[in-house]
Amino acid sequence: MAKTDTIPEAVSPLREAWGQFLKNRPAVFGLALLSVIVGLVLYGHFLHDADPYDIVWMPLTPPGDEAGIWFGTDFLGRDMMTGLLKGGGPTLLVGLSAALITVVIGILMGALAGYFGGWVDDLLMRLTEFFQVLPALLFAMVLVTLFSPSLWTVAFAIGIVSWPQTARLTRAEFLRIRELEYVTAARSIGAGNGRIIARVILPNALPPLIVSATLTIGVAILFEAGLSFLGLGDPNTMSWGLMIGQNRNYILDAWWPVTLPGLAIFLTVFAVSLVGDGLNDAFNPKLRSR
Amino acid sequence: MPLEKTDALMSLRDLKVEFDTRHGRVTALSGISLDVKPGETLGIVGESGCGKSITALAMMGLVPNPPGHVTGGSIHFQGEDITRARARRMRKLRGGEIAMIFQEPMTSLNPVFTVGDQITEAILLHQDVSRTQAEKQVVELLATVGIPEPAKRAQSYPHQLSGGMRQRVMIAMAISCRPKLLIADEPTTALDVTVQAQIFDLMRDIQREFGVAIVLITHDMGAIAEMTDRVAVMYAGRIIEQGTSDQILDNPLHPYTRGLIGCIPVLGREAAGAEALPPLAEIPGIVPPLHLLGEGCAFAERCQLADDHCRAQRPALEIPALQNGGHPVACHHAGITTRAELPA
Amino acid sequence: MGTIRYIFRRLGYGLILMVGVVVLNFLLIHAAPGDPAEVIAGEMGGITEQMMADIRARYGLDRPLPVQLGIYLANIARFDLGMSYYFDRPVSQLIGQRIWPTVLLVLTAQVIAIFLGVVMGVLASRRPNGPFSGFVSVFSTVGYAAPVFWTGLMLIILFSVIVPMFPVEGMSSARFRGGGFAYALNVAHHLVLPATTLAIIFLAQYARLSRASMIEVLGADYVRTARAKGLGEGPVIFRHALRNAVLPILTVAGIQFGNLISGALLVETVFNWPGMGRLAFDSVLRRDYPTLLGVLFCASGVVVLANLVTDLSYRLADPRIRTGGR
C-alpha cells in the first residue's frame, strides 16, 4: 500500500451519520420503500390517470375479476387503484405539513424554555403539560369541527396537538448544550441570544431533532388517516383514511376496499419508522452494538 | 490434570478466558496460575484492561456469558474445580464461601431496596435462620463495619448514604455469611483518600477477626504496599511477575513492575520502603488492544529495553538465574534497569 | 415531603389544568366562526327563537366576555356541562353514562399492553441478539405503524368472517337478559377485540421500551452484586432487575394515557363501543358542540387523574423520589 502524507479528509458528522445509515439494511429498505411510495403518489398519474370519484364498474367488484380493475371497486363502483394512487397525496401532504408545524412550534418553545430557563421555562413547560393533558385526537376533532375541515385546518390541528414532545426534547438538548464551553466562548466574543440559539446551539442539537422530526411525520400521517377515517378530513379530496371510513360498513362483504388503503398507510408509516430508527442508530454509534 | 498438592484455599491453573467480540474471539486471560492461601492477602495489580477484573469474576464464576467463556484450565476452591461446578452449587459458594466487593459502591447497591433488605437477602440465602434473626444479624454486621446508628441505617436506601458508607455496607454484605475468601475489586478507587484509608483499616480488621483470605485487585502500588502479603502483576491477560510483596516492591524484576512502582507518589514510596527506586516515571503508551497481540512480549512496544528477541518471542514466567536470588518473572531482560546494561 | 401533602399538591395542580381546559373550551366557542349561541345550539335545525333566547340568557351572551367566562366556569363547577340540544338531555348525564365503558376499555387495554409488553421485553432481553429479540423489534415497529382503526377492522374480518369467535359490535348482546356474573362475562366477551386492538399499538411500544430498559439494567453493577450474593436467575431478573426496569415504563405509561384515549376514540367508533369516543363521533356528525366540548373536558379529566395515579405509583416504586434523594 502506498503511503501518503495527506491528512484524511475531514468528515462532517452529518456525512458520517449518512455513511452509517447506508450500512443499516432495514433503514435502507425503509428509504427504498418510502421512495417507491412517494414516487407512486407523485408520478402515479403517468401510469394510470383517472378521476377517483368516477364510477367505473359494478360496486364491490373483487380485485382481478375484471381486466383493468386490478384492485377491485369500492361500495360505489369507483376504481380502488385510482383511489390508492390519488389518495396518497393528501395523506402525505397533510402528514408533512403537520410535521413541519409540529417541529417549528416544538423547537421554538423548547429552545426558548431551555435557553432562558427561569420563569420563561416554567411558563412554557406548564403550557406543554397542559397540551399533553388534552387527548390529541379529540382536540383535533374539536378544532376541525369548529373551523370546517380543509387540508390546512387538519394539518394545523395535528401540529397544535403534537408539538409538546418535540418541545420537551429540544428543551432537554438546549439545557445540556448551553452549559458547554463553546457556548460560553460564543458569548464571550459578544454573540447575542438570537445568534447563540440559532447558530450555535441549534446546529448541535440537530441530530436527535432530525430523528424526532422523522418519527413525527409517521405520527402525523396516522393522525391524518384517523381524522379522515372519522370523516373529518377535507371532504373534497380522496384520501386513504377516507376510503377506509367510507367502505367500512361493507367490510363483511368485501375485504379489499378497507384492507388495501390501510396497507398503504401502514407501509408508508412503517417505511418512515425504519428510516427514523436508522437515523437514530446512525447518530448514536454507541448504541449500535446492541 | 494432576494437581500438585498445595495448602491453597483457591488454586488457578492455566486459566484461559475468551470473549466473542466484533473482532472475533479475543483471549482475555491466557493461562493464569495463582494460589490464594487461607487467611492471606494476595494482590493482583495492573492497569485497566490487563485482565485483573476478569480474573476476579472468574474466581466468582461470574464471567459474563455471553460474550465470555472459560475455555481452559481450572479453578480449584478447597479441592473442588468450580469451573466444572453446577450452577446450583456455584450459587451456594457465591456469597456463602466466596464473597466479592466491587469498585463502584455508588452503583453496586440496588437503588430500590433498603440496605438492610439487601443484606438480609444474602443471609437468608445461605443460612438457615428466620427473617427476624437475619435482621438482627444485619444490625450487628453494620455495627461491625463501623456504621453509626446501625438499626436506623438498615432502613436507609443506598442513595441516602455516602460512598464510604455504601462500601462499608458492601463489606457487611460480603462478610455476612463468614466467607473463606473475599475478593475486593478496586474497593477504594471511587472513594476519597481519607475514606480509602478507613476502608483498608476495616478490611484488615475484618481479616483479623474472621480469618478470611483476601484477593485485592488494584492498579495502585500504594495499596499493594499497605495491604498485601503476596503480589501477582498482570499485563495483557498474563501474569508477568509474582512474589512476596517485599520481593516485588524492593526488587522488581520486570520493567513494567518498575514502571508501576514509579507511579507511587513520593510519600507513599517512603512508606513502602522503596526510596532506592528511580524517580517517578510514567509508563509510556497504553495496554495494547487484546485482539492486536502478536507473538512477542506484549509489553515490548512500551519497553525501553525491548529488542528484536523480545518482539519475536514471548518470555515465559520463570525464576531467572540472578545472583541475588529471584522470584518468577516473564522478561528476557529480568533485573536489568537501563539500556546500558543490556548485553551487546 | 409526605405522600398526603404530595397528593394534595398534585390534585391542586390538576384542578388548575382542568380550569385551563374550561377556558380553552370557552375560547373555542367564541373563536369559532358565527354566533356563539348558534355554536352552542349546534346545527340541529328547526331551532326556535325561544330556544336561542334561552341559550343567550343561560350563558349570559349579551354580557361582557369576562362575565361570560365567569358564568361558564361557575356552571362547570356545578358539573353543569350544558345541554345537548340534539339528544335533548344534559351533557353531564350523557357523559355519565358513557364514561364507564371508555374507562373499562382503556384500562383493560393498558393493563394488557403493559403486562404483555414487559413479559416480551424481559424475554427479549435474555438474548439481546437472539431471534425473539429480533421479533420484538420488528413487532414493535409493525404494531406502531398500523393505524389502530385499520387493525380493528382487520380483526373484525378475521374474527367474524374467518373464525367467528368474538362479537364485533357493541358492549353486550342486544337481547341479553341475564344479570350479574353472566352479564359481566357477556361484556368481557365483547371487550376482547376492542381491547386487543387498542392494546396492540401500546404493547408494541412497551415491549420495545422494556427490552431496552432490561438490557440496560441487566448490565448494572447492582445486578452483578445480586449474582455475587448467590441469587439464582429468577430473583436476579424479577426482583432486582425488573423493579428498576419498570420505572421508565411507568413514566411512559403516564404520558401515553392521552394517546390511549385518542386511540379509544377510533376503536370505539370501529366496534360501536358505547363510550365517550363513540359519543364524540356522534356529536361531531350532529354538530352537537356542548357534548363534544363536554367530552373533551371529561377526557382531559381522566388523563389528569391517570397522571396523578402514575406519579403516585412512581413514588411508590422509586424510593429516590419518595425520600427526596437523587
Side-chain angles (χ1 to χ4, degrees):
Chain A
M1 202 203 298
K3 255 196 175 170
T4 54
D5 292 326
T6 51
I7 299 166
E9 204 180 320
V11 190
S12 79
L14 282 186
R15 174 166 288 207
E16 197 191 325
W18 176 241
Q20 285 300 337
F21 182 88
L22 290 181
K23 286 185 203 153
N24 184 335
R25 261 191 267 167
V28 172
F29 170 74
L31 192 60
L33 182 59
L34 194 60
S35 311
V36 170
I37 294 169
V38 172
L40 282 174
V41 164
L42 289 181
Y43 301 109
H45 54 90
F46 289 120
L47 297 174
H48 175 86
D49 195 14
D51 186 335
Y53 290 93
D54 277 352
I55 289 167
V56 296
W57 204 251
M58 297 282 289
L60 302 179
T61 310
D65 263 22
E66 199 54 46
I69 306 177
W70 308 113
F71 291 97
T73 60
D74 74 354
F75 76 111
L76 289 176
R78 300 179 295 199
D79 190 353
M80 288 297 296
M81 182 157 71
T82 323
L84 287 171
L85 287 174
K86 296 273 157 126
T91 306
L92 289 187
L93 183 65
V94 171
L96 275 177
S97 21
L100 190 70
I101 296 171
T102 304
V103 168
V104 168
I105 303 180
I107 288 185
L108 197 68
M109 296 285 193
L112 292 178
Y115 182 78
F116 289 109
W119 67 268
V120 180
D121 187 26
D122 279 345
L123 184 76
L124 292 178
M125 278 302 106
R126 291 295 99 81
L127 194 66
T128 310
E129 276 162 30
F130 175 69
F131 272 89
Q132 281 190 319
V133 160
L134 295 171
L137 187 65
L138 195 55
F139 185 44
M141 273 170 83
V142 172
L143 287 180
V144 174
T145 317
L146 278 172
F147 297 95
S148 72
S150 73
L151 285 187
W152 299 116
T153 40
V154 172
F156 181 75
I158 298 174
I160 277 285
V161 298
S162 316
W163 62 266
Q165 228 159 353
T166 313
R168 280 174 178 275
L169 181 67
T170 313
R171 173 176 175 269
E173 282 298 297
F174 267 66
L175 280 177
R176 181 177 67 80
I177 295 173
R178 74 167 187 193
E179 304 299 334
L180 299 180
E181 281 83 0
Y182 55 77
V183 177
T184 321
R187 199 171 287 132
S188 70
I189 59 168
N193 287 337
R195 192 180 169 81
I196 291 177
I197 291 177
R199 305 293 295 274
V200 182
I201 304 186
L202 189 59
N204 288 290
L206 271 186
L209 291 179
I210 291 175
V211 174
S212 146
T214 312
L215 296 175
T216 303
I217 297 175
V219 174
I221 290 174
L222 286 175
F223 231 113
E224 190 279 339
L227 284 173
S228 308
F229 167 78
L230 292 173
L232 288 171
D234 188 329
N236 304 315
T237 40
M238 187 58 75
S239 82
W240 289 336
L242 181 67
M243 291 167 80
I244 301 177
Q246 288 183 336
N247 285 294
R248 75 181 178 98
N249 290 332
Y250 308 91
I251 187 171
L252 299 183
D253 308 314
W255 55 269
W256 59 94
V258 167
T259 308
L260 297 178
L263 210 55
I265 300 168
F266 164 69
L267 287 176
T268 312
V269 179
F270 185 59
V272 171
S273 315
L274 287 179
V275 172
D277 288 349
L279 287 174
N280 193 31
D281 291 350
F283 286 128
N284 293 302
K286 276 168 284 172
L287 301 176
R288 211 173 295 133
S289 56
R290 285 198 184 151
Chain B
M1 191 198 293
L3 184 71
E4 75 255 44
K5 193 79 184 152
T6 62
D7 54 352
L9 180 66
M10 182 179 267
S11 295
L12 280 59
R13 285 295 172 271
D14 211 19
L15 184 69
K16 206 168 169 193
V17 173
E18 294 180 303
F19 276 79
D20 295 321
T21 71
R22 266 188 290 169
H23 308 287
R25 198 162 251 218
V26 163
T27 308
L29 295 183
S30 28
I32 299 281
S33 297
L34 269 180
D35 282 337
V36 188
K37 301 194 180 95
E40 76 165 347
T41 301
L42 171 73
I44 299 181
V45 68
E47 288 166 285
S48 47
C50 70
K52 54 193 197 304
S53 286
I54 298 296
T55 310
L57 289 176
M59 288 172 163
M60 291 290 285
L62 280 178
V63 172
N65 176 9
H69 313 268
V70 175
T71 51
S74 64
I75 302 173
H76 281 82
F77 178 73
Q78 296 182 321
E80 174 186 8
D81 185 355
I82 60 172
T83 60
R84 279 163 227 283
R86 293 180 167 279
R88 232 185 123 84
R89 170 70 187 146
M90 211 46 233
R91 286 204 296 272
K92 214 166 166 58
L93 289 177
R94 230 182 265 145
E97 307 265 308
I98 314 172
M100 185 161 180
I101 55 181
F102 298 98
Q103 178 171 356
E104 288 290 342
M106 308 309 271
T107 52
S108 292
L109 288 164
N110 197 325
V112 301
F113 299 111
T114 64
V115 296
D117 281 346
Q118 296 186 54
I119 305 174
T120 309
E121 187 181 35
I123 295 175
L124 290 176
L125 260 178
H126 298 286
Q127 296 176 30
D128 193 17
V129 295
S130 72
R131 194 170 185 93
T132 331
Q133 284 170 305
E135 279 164 4
K136 219 177 116 223
Q137 281 188 34
V138 167
V139 177
E140 286 161 14
L141 279 163
L142 289 178
T144 308
V145 297
I147 288 181
E149 297 184 86
K152 194 176 152 220
R153 281 297 158 213
Q155 308 296 319
S156 298
Y157 287 95
H159 71 269
Q160 295 168 315
L161 303 177
S162 68
M165 283 295 162
R166 286 188 221 186
Q167 198 61 296
R168 284 173 194 268
V169 169
M170 286 298 292
I171 293 174
M173 191 192 298
I175 61 170
S176 63
C177 301
R178 305 290 169 97
K180 299 209 170 63
L181 178 61
L182 175 64
I183 301 166
D185 185 1
E186 306 260 9
T188 59
T189 309
L191 303 174
D192 289 345
V193 182
T194 48
V195 183
Q196 284 186 15
Q198 292 168 10
I199 295 292
F200 279 144
D201 286 344
L202 174 63
M203 286 171 64
R204 267 194 299 265
D205 292 347
I206 296 286
Q207 186 167 42
R208 209 173 303 129
E209 194 176 332
F210 297 91
V212 58
I214 295 178
V215 173
L216 175 66
I217 290 173
T218 183
H219 65 274
D220 176 8
M221 271 294 181
I224 292 290
E226 198 177 327
M227 290 289 292
T228 64
D229 304 315
R230 290 187 310 119
V231 182
V233 183
M234 285 190 71
Y235 191 80
R238 288 168 198 278
I239 293 175
I240 53 149
E241 186 164 2
Q242 197 172 9
T244 64
S245 304
D246 290 341
Q247 283 172 330
I248 301 290
L249 288 166
D250 295 343
N251 186 25
L253 296 177
H254 199 287
Y256 177 66
T257 314
R258 278 199 298 280
L260 286 178
I261 295 172
C263 294
I264 307 181
V266 176
L267 275 175
R269 290 207 291 160
E270 277 160 15
E275 304 89 342
L277 287 164
L280 195 127
E282 271 180 39
I283 309 170
I286 52 160
V287 181
L290 289 169
H291 64 280
L292 295 179
L293 288 181
E295 287 297 298
C297 173
F299 187 59
E301 289 305 311
R302 301 168 69 187
C303 182
Q304 291 184 347
L305 307 175
D307 54 23
D308 289 344
H309 183 45
C310 296
R311 278 182 273 271
Q313 200 192 349
R314 183 182 303 118
L317 182 68
E318 54 199 9
I319 299 178
L322 294 172
Q323 58 273 63
N324 58 348
H327 49 269
V329 63
C331 180
H332 293 311
H333 305 305
I336 294 177
T337 51
T338 60
R339 284 192 78 88
E341 294 171 58
L342 281 178
Chain C
M1 182 171 38
T3 300
I4 303 291
R5 244 187 82 192
Y6 176 78
I7 293 176
F8 274 106
R9 222 189 64 177
R10 288 292 324 210
L11 277 175
Y13 183 52
L15 205 65
I16 295 173
L17 285 176
M18 292 314 292
V19 171
V21 177
V22 176
V23 173
L24 181 75
N25 279 355
F26 177 80
L27 291 178
L28 284 173
I29 291 175
H30 286 270
D35 180 356
E38 276 171 26
V39 174
I40 293 169
E43 294 171 9
M44 51 171 293
I47 192 160
T48 59
E49 268 312 306
Q50 178 56 42
M51 286 169 83
M52 289 297 267
D54 280 353
I55 291 173
R56 277 180 222 285
R58 186 185 163 85
Y59 288 92
L61 291 181
D62 47 353
R63 300 166 74 177
L65 270 184
V67 179
Q68 291 186 32
L69 177 60
I71 295 172
Y72 194 77
L73 276 170
N75 284 344
I76 287 186
R78 280 181 273 120
F79 291 103
D80 174 4
L81 295 172
M83 188 70 192
S84 164
Y85 290 90
Y86 174 78
F87 291 102
D88 199 22
R89 284 171 62 191
V91 171
S92 48
Q93 213 180 79
L94 275 174
I95 291 177
Q97 280 176 352
R98 300 294 197 99
I99 197 166
W100 300 114
T102 297
V103 169
L104 176 69
L105 173 64
V106 163
L107 284 185
T108 312
Q110 178 84 313
V111 168
I112 295 176
I114 291 182
F115 180 75
L116 286 184
V118 168
V119 168
M120 285 173 77
V122 169
L123 288 177
S125 71
R126 302 288 298 137
R127 296 258 174 246
N129 298 314
F132 186 72
S133 204
F135 165 76
V136 166
S137 298
V138 173
F139 170 77
S140 64
T141 315
V142 167
Y144 164 84
V148 61
F149 55 91
W150 182 66
T151 313
L153 291 168
M154 293 300 103
L155 287 180
I156 288 181
I157 293 182
L158 184 63
F159 285 105
S160 73
V161 183
I162 303 176
V163 262
M165 270 169 66
F166 299 105
V168 296
E169 219 189 1
M171 189 165 155
S172 58
S173 305
R175 266 172 270 161
F176 192 80
R177 289 282 172 267
F181 186 66
Y183 178 73
L185 267 185
N186 191 266
V187 170
H189 196 206
H190 281 77
L191 183 61
V192 173
L193 287 186
T196 307
T197 306
L198 187 53
I200 284 177
I201 3 168
F202 298 95
L203 168 60
Q205 294 174 39
Y206 294 139
R208 180 185 204 152
L209 181 68
S210 37
R211 173 181 172 272
S213 176
M214 273 303 279
I215 289 176
E216 192 184 320
V217 168
L218 283 175
D221 289 346
Y222 53 78
V223 168
R224 191 182 50 187
T225 306
R227 291 211 169 98
K229 269 183 211 177
L231 279 176
E233 278 302 282
V236 167
I237 288 172
F238 291 104
R239 184 135 33 105
H240 283 267
L242 195 55
R243 265 293 298 273
N244 286 282
V246 293
L247 295 177
I249 297 164
L250 273 182
T251 312
V252 172
I255 295 173
Q256 288 290 8
F257 223 90
N259 293 334
L260 206 58
I261 299 239
S262 292
L265 209 127
L266 292 165
V267 170
E268 287 180 8
T269 308
V270 169
F271 289 95
N272 230 338
W273 188 260
M276 285 199 296
R278 179 78 218 184
L279 182 64
F281 179 66
D282 290 339
S283 47
V284 164
L285 292 184
R286 274 93 203 199
R287 307 263 169 232
D288 180 0
Y289 295 109
T291 307
L292 188 57
L293 291 174
V295 171
L296 181 63
F297 173 77
C298 290
S300 309
V302 171
V303 176
V304 167
L305 272 181
N307 284 345
L308 177 69
V309 172
T310 315
D311 282 358
L312 279 176
S313 43
Y314 198 98
R315 266 172 82 83
L316 286 179
D318 189 350
R320 283 165 292 188
I321 307 262
R322 188 165 67 240
T323 56
R326 271 161 303 164

